[in-house]
Amino acid sequence: MTGWLPPEAATAVWLSLRVSFWATVLSLPLAVLVALLLARGRFPGRGLLNGLVHLPLILPPVVTGYLLLLAFGRNGPVGSWLHEAFGITLAFRWTGAVLAAAVMAFPLTVRAIRLSVEAVDPKLEQAAATLGASRLMVFLTVTLPLILPGVLVGAVLAFAKAMGEFGATITFVSNIPGQTQTLPSAIYAFLSVPGGDEAALRLVLISIAIALGALALAEWLGRVVARRIGAP
Amino acid sequence: MTGWLPPEAATAVWLSLRVSFWATVLSLPLAVLVALLLARGRFPGRGLLNGLVHLPLILPPVVTGYLLLLAFGRNGPVGSWLHEAFGITLAFRWTGAVLAAAVMAFPLTVRAIRLSVEAVDPKLEQAAATLGASRLMVFLTVTLPLILPGVLVGAVLAFAKAMGEFGATITFVSNIPGQTQTLPSAIYAFLSVPGGDEAALRLVLISIAIALGALALAEWLGRVVARRIGAP
Amino acid sequence: MTLDVQLAHDFGGFALDVEFAAPDGVTVLFGRSGSGKTSVVNAVAGILRPDRGKVMAQGIVLTDTARGLHLPPFRRRIGYVFQEPRLFPHLTVAQNLGFGRWFAPRNAAGASPERIITLLGLEHLLARRPLALSGGEKQRVAIGRAILSKPRLLLMDEPLAALDAARRDEILPYLERLREELGLPILYVSHSAVEVARLATTLVLIEGGRVRKAGPAAQLMADPALAPAFGLRELGAVIRAEVAAHEDDGLTRLTASAGSLWVPHVDMAPGTHLRLRVPASDVTLALRRPEGVSALNILPARITAIRRGDGPGALVQLDCGGELLLARVTQRSVEGMGLAPGMDLYVMLKALSVAPQNMGGD
Amino acid sequence: MTLDVQLAHDFGGFALDVEFAAPDGVTVLFGRSGSGKTSVVNAVAGILRPDRGKVMAQGIVLTDTARGLHLPPFRRRIGYVFQEPRLFPHLTVAQNLGFGRWFAPRNAAGASPERIITLLGLEHLLARRPLALSGGEKQRVAIGRAILSKPRLLLMDEPLAALDAARRDEILPYLERLREELGLPILYVSHSAVEVARLATTLVLIEGGRVRKAGPAAQLMADPALAPAFGLRELGAVIRAEVAAHEDDGLTRLTASAGSLWVPHVDMAPGTHLRLRVPASDVTLALRRPEGVSALNILPARITAIRRGDGPGALVQLDCGGELLLARVTQRSVEGMGLAPGMDLYVMLKALSVAPQNMGGD
Amino acid sequence: DEVVVFAASSLKTALDQIGADFGKATGHRVTISYAGSNKLATQIIAGAPADIFISAAENWMDEVAKAGLVVPETRSDLLGNALVLVAHGAGAPQVEIGRDLDLNGLLADGKLSMAMVDSVPAGQYGKAALESFGLWEGVAPSVAQAENVRDALKLVALGEAPLGIVYASDAVAEPGVSVVGTFPSDSHPAIAYPVALLTGAADQADRDFLKALSEPAADAIFAAQGFKVMK
Ligand SMILES: Nc1ncnc2c1ncn2[C@@H]1O[C@H](COP(=O)(O)OP(=O)(O)OP(=O)(O)O)[C@@H](O)[C@H]1O
Ligand SMILES: Nc1ncnc2c1ncn2[C@@H]1O[C@H](COP(=O)(O)OP(=O)(O)OP(=O)(O)O)[C@@H](O)[C@H]1O
Ligand code: MOO
Ligand SMILES: [Mg+2]
Ligand SMILES: [Mg+2]
């Protein structure tokens, strides 16, 4: 197997899994919140928030990466503040790859969850309120369980996107083996040298296998959840 | 204004609009079909189809572009067949950019529509059937109007993604000013020369303006549709 | 038979196993909550595909699991008023009403939309969407939608439960007319003995997923053994009569085999035969012909049977000129009056207690 | 007053403008489909925020648009049985039932879950999800869910419409007991005069978004002027009586101011006061005291008023020992018997026609 | 100690080997991040923790130097490269590169594959070379610009484009193409890969590796990959 896959590639696979996992897990609660705000909220900055969330989708990934670098780089306003206040550095660290992946996946996740929120029958939420549930409790006991399939879809989309994200990541955190070289960066690196195609292909296959596995898992979970909710 | 925006950039803006429009319009019916199949169908290849649809999300865009090149290039099996049978050439043409954008956007569109389909109450479809509507007519008169918000969301996602797509496009159709140089390619080109930041920034702003316009339009349309359906 | 149903289906926790045949007219499925009525109707509509069974309507096989046959709902031309309205939220009331017409054969006979809209009181709602309707309004639109789809058979699952008595009294006669004029067979789910008496040609009593008894409605409703199934209070015999004359003071005289009966005006031509439900609790017995009482209908009768209940009541079955009547009296009266089979006496019915709701064409 | 409601709201196409006060007990909103009943209940629940108005319950201001005050629904502790079940699809029946309990103050008084589950016949359904329930089963769960949330006020929007008579007869007495034992005020929407007679302390008649009349139920139901609103057939007086004795043959003797009345066994201790609905169509008049008839209840009365209808009928109002009774007879009988105000005669009621459904505690 | 090198993508094969050898010999670890020179330069300016930068073009090294991040005396041109015209398939006939070259005739409706001519160095050199022979105007509409040289080469290897202009070093290992001509080195600005130590580099290992890059062992590896070793 060692011959089949160069050691740095194995590292990249592992790193990508870690990055995608954290990007998914960390962005999900925020995505749910933003989706709720966009679906239900009536506040002045709503259009702006909506636009902001979609920016990573609209912009070429390289631009997003570049903007991240400007903001979260060591010298960037947010980056230096994070560094000074909390000792957190994102640029050129795997944590930065998490940020890049999360940002790139964010519009997809929010959209998926938002669609689910909009499909929840507000009459059920009213019923819960008459039974004494506060807005937060209505959300936790009624809305959240009902949008679970959408959240699941959002999570899978986020994970899949994170596994494939390249442009923003390489621009923001570079392509440092063992630290920021994700699977797509490794594929890119192999593709850019003569004779690297074969190694790249192997990595592509691994990437496909992982993502399809996640997808199948999500489909299955989705079906379980849907059956519980009583969907068809 | 001429000084503000180089003429080739204007061409790129125009081309991107055209590419995104057609990528959206042409992929939408197929996306609806696939979403229906995935949401409702119970056939053997379902998991496979699902995986296939998601590949462009999972794979680094460059890889997708490369695969498109292998399949739809002049010498690719599909490409040569299209050329011989219909005289259609995709490689190095703006039509190829449309294909690349459509493929990259496809998983997002399908997911959005699928979520909507799953939210449609099958009891309403049953009611339509007892009133004499065939499966096709049920779809056209009940399902489709009810999933319209989801289709709209899918279309916006597709358009936005198409406006920002870079990796797959440049790999598949290269960067031929006036023919395949989309907005992201132009931005990339500017970013790649020292001091090109400013020109790139202008293009980025144009890109944002267009996509946010589309987004606002979609939000507004979505609200109109939702009000008609009687959603909250 | 217009409708032959034979079904078995296991829901896991509830098993359905019914078989009945229904002739033309209105067949009412009567049974308690959860007894399986909706499931039967769903199977006839083609929405429920039973584990085993065969459903035929007007000679056409709709479902036959033995032959793997299952006609899809949209080919059945069966109108269905669901237990909940199921209106299309994206369509206006007018569009909801017109939905089925779209798909119905152009030349099929059917009710006129204007007529139905007026009957159901929907004129001022036509432009609204379902979200802005009240519960009863929704149900009325659902009724109209099903009728206007020009069905060959109409399924109605408690269609009037959400409606007020006045509206119900407007719709019931119309359903009777549908049955008679268009010859539209109706399979009707109901909890209400009044609706049963009024509409039912055939009655199918369902209990726990099985048919307890099926047959002509008049017969079943006069069967003391079935009293608990209907609820004691709902018990009553149905007798046949003929419209004799409409009198000046607004009463209609009927002739039954037992004699003349006066009832509030009936909108039927003299000579028409009709069915009259006489609730057992509306019948008073008297040993001598009562004089100076407000009850107009006093008929001689002979006791054929007495069945004492567990409570204070007793059911007295009477032969009244060849027709069977039921009277529900106290056991104390049975003792006090010395009632016994074979005894001759008089039955007393108030003209107005035989309300129009208890009569139907035959 | 337990509940003070004053509301104005414009739906565009329908305007609501009602004002009524309700004391303790059960207040029934009665009115035709689309008259605005659900809208009123929604406003009390806090789901509808009226354009203008004030709602107070038990001295607490729930809504006061003048002061911009609107207590959110979850702070109102008002249980609401909606017109449609609105069960939580992701929860089992047991979890649906327990939902409100979760949020209720631990020490609040409330019904016991086991009792409610048995009463509503839900034992075998506890593990199911709503999708697998029949229409009536869903509605029963919704009733249980609202009651078990330990509310201070219960709103019920046609809760029994989907239920069969037998189940309804089980639930109605329980609602009466809720009213009495827990002192739980109930705002109840109904189409059914039987339910009104049985439950209502106060009656609010709604017509076209306005209050036609509001007041004590007994008074309104004996008002001939309101007869059309109830539907003629539903008309009936309500009289007060006291349980005197339970006799051996299963009858209960009541004493009303007019004399003794025998009715089927009533499950109340001697000395209990109760309300008895006497439907106008169940009263037969006789010039002389009838002998040898199966009707047990024969009381002397005096005619106070006669109101001829448009049809063949007439309403006779009677003073029966100080209580008002209504009798619905034919005009032919009025003529034939020579009835006139001031005349003394006898009213005849069958023991069994005064069914338990027409009685309620007072 | 760790040596972090930011290097242009095209150097991967050679540098990986040199880095591994250095690691084995000294016990230090060499970590190399490959990306486009423009990205790497931007990142270094934004504070990337790199010790050594090897750019594929002078201008991006200039940008880093302008930001004051280059240790000036350590900057040198490490490698050179040649620009070649490649054709699809093995054994394509040689052509004479000069003013009379009938590129459009050779393309016969096909595309001339190059790296992006305004931004990627290989593309810029190629455009300059074509201009020097007065060929650019005529062929410009037929030029397909790939994101980088590797992609340009790939288009030719796949036969999507009949001809391409790439580095000699890239053409070496690609069996799907044949070099049909080499552009004279005076037809375009000198192709150079400048290298420099960055100000963030602290320890001796960084300087040692910089030195190792110009030692004979490294020279051999670079040469084998088709690079011109500058001395
Ligand atoms: N959002 C709305 N827009 C316009 N009209 C409305 C809206 N909501 C309700 N209405 C109208 O208000 C009237 C009263 O509705 P409401 O639901 O209160 O009636 P209801 O008395 O409960 O009737 P039902 O017995 O049929 O349930 C109806 O005519 C209804 O059409
Ligand atoms: N999917 C299901 N899984 C399990 N049990 C089911 C399912 N669907 C229905 N049932 C059960 O089957 C029984 C019959 O249901 P059905 O809806 O036919 O009753 P119904 O006679 O129409 O009752 P109602 O008058 O309350 O509407 C009920 O006890 C119900 O709980
Ligand atoms: O379309 Mo992409 O994102 O180049 O990552
Ligand atoms: Mg049912
Ligand atoms: Mg209502």
Side-chain angles (χ1 to χ4, degrees), chain C residues 29-276:
Chain C
L29 294 180
F30 191 91
R32 294 200 55 174
S33 170
S35 56
K37 305 178 295 297
T38 299
S39 308
V40 170
V41 175
N42 280 343
V44 174
I47 286 171
L48 173 68
R49 198 173 180 145
D51 292 342
R52 271 161 299 112
K54 186 169 173 180
V55 178
M56 285 183 63
Q58 291 167 322
I60 300 165
V61 177
L62 301 178
T63 292
D64 186 351
T65 53
R67 290 197 288 146
L69 206 146
H70 187 78
L71 206 62
F74 78 92
R75 285 201 200 288
R76 297 191 173 200
R77 289 193 52 214
I78 292 182
Y80 190 169
V81 182
F82 295 87
Q83 197 167 1
E84 71 284 355
R86 297 201 192 181
L87 300 184
F88 303 123
H90 57 297
L91 301 181
T92 61
V93 167
Q95 289 165 335
N96 266 283
L97 288 172
F99 191 91
R101 240 183 148 63
W102 243 76
F103 303 107
R106 290 280 158 274
N107 53 352
S112 109
E114 294 71 33
R115 175 86 189 79
I116 298 285
I117 288 167
T118 314
L119 173 82
L120 296 167
L122 300 175
E123 302 89 342
H124 62 296
L125 302 176
L126 292 175
R128 293 234 196 115
R129 283 182 201 282
L131 193 76
L133 298 182
S134 80
E137 287 164 350
K138 279 186 205 143
Q139 193 60 24
R140 274 138 66 194
V141 176
I143 294 172
R145 185 178 66 172
I147 293 176
L148 288 175
S149 71
K150 303 185 184 172
R152 281 192 293 227
L153 172 66
L154 193 57
L155 308 177
M156 308 189 88
D157 196 351
E158 306 190 31
L160 308 183
L163 299 187
D164 52 290
R167 181 67 65 186
R168 206 180 308 199
D169 287 349
E170 278 164 45
I171 296 177
L172 270 176
Y174 182 78
L175 292 180
E176 281 168 358
R177 229 166 305 147
L178 274 186
R179 180 185 74 178
E180 276 138 42
E181 289 171 20
L182 297 184
L184 184 64
I186 302 180
L187 183 60
Y188 194 101
V189 173
S190 177
H191 287 135
S192 150
V194 170
E195 280 172 31
V196 174
R198 176 91 182 241
L199 285 175
T201 320
T202 307
L203 186 58
V204 181
L205 262 175
I206 301 209
E207 259 179 42
R210 294 169 174 275
V211 173
R212 162 86 185 277
K213 189 126 189 182
Q219 193 175 310
L220 264 63
M221 294 202 75
D223 185 345
L226 293 180
F230 290 107
L232 267 179
R233 282 198 325 282
E234 312 280 7
L235 199 69
V238 177
I239 60 175
R240 257 163 266 266
E242 187 182 333
V243 176
H246 299 299
E247 305 190 344
D248 290 344
D249 55 5
L251 295 177
T252 294
R253 183 164 56 85
L254 310 176
T255 46
S257 49
S260 284
L261 284 171
W262 282 268
V263 297
H265 181 79
V266 177
D267 198 10
M268 295 177 184
T272 314
H273 290 267
L274 51 71
R275 296 176 309 120
L276 192 65

Side-chain angles (χ1 to χ4, degrees), chain A residues 59-62 104 161 164-168, chain B residues 59-62 104 161 164-168:
Chain A
L59 293 177
V62 178
M104 291 299 289
K161 176 71 194 170
E165 212 305 302
F166 166 64
Chain B
L59 293 177
V62 178
M104 292 299 288
K161 176 71 194 168
E165 214 303 304
F166 167 64

Side-chain angles (χ1 to χ4, degrees), chain C residues 33 140 247 283 332 350, chain D residues 33 140 247 283 332 350:
Chain C
S33 170
R140 274 138 66 194
E247 305 190 344
V283 179
R332 181 178 297 190
K350 294 186 57 172
Chain D
S33 170
R140 274 138 66 194
E247 304 189 347
V283 180
R332 182 178 297 191
K350 293 186 58 172

